[in-house]
Amino acid sequence: MHVVDDHVEVSETEASGGVKGQGVRYVLAISLLLAVILLSAIWIVPALLD
């Protein structure tokens, strides 16, 4: 981080403020899969019981 004229310039790593990991991808994939399974069960089970 360094000051240029009247503003501060930071690198890409400093601006992101953390590690860019793969964890978010897995959380989103698992959440989507669970949502599809749950909504399918809510729709299919009553249809089978009729």
Side-chain angles (χ1 to χ4, degrees), residues 8-43:
V8 176
E9 293 186 358
V10 295
S11 68
E12 180 181 342
T13 304
E14 291 172 330
S16 68
V19 178
K20 297 177 183 173
Q22 300 294 323
V24 174
R25 179 180 302 172
Y26 295 123
V27 169
L28 290 175
I30 292 169
S31 299
L32 178 62
L33 181 64
L34 290 175
V36 168
I37 291 170
L38 179 65
L39 291 174
S40 296
I42 290 171
W43 177 51

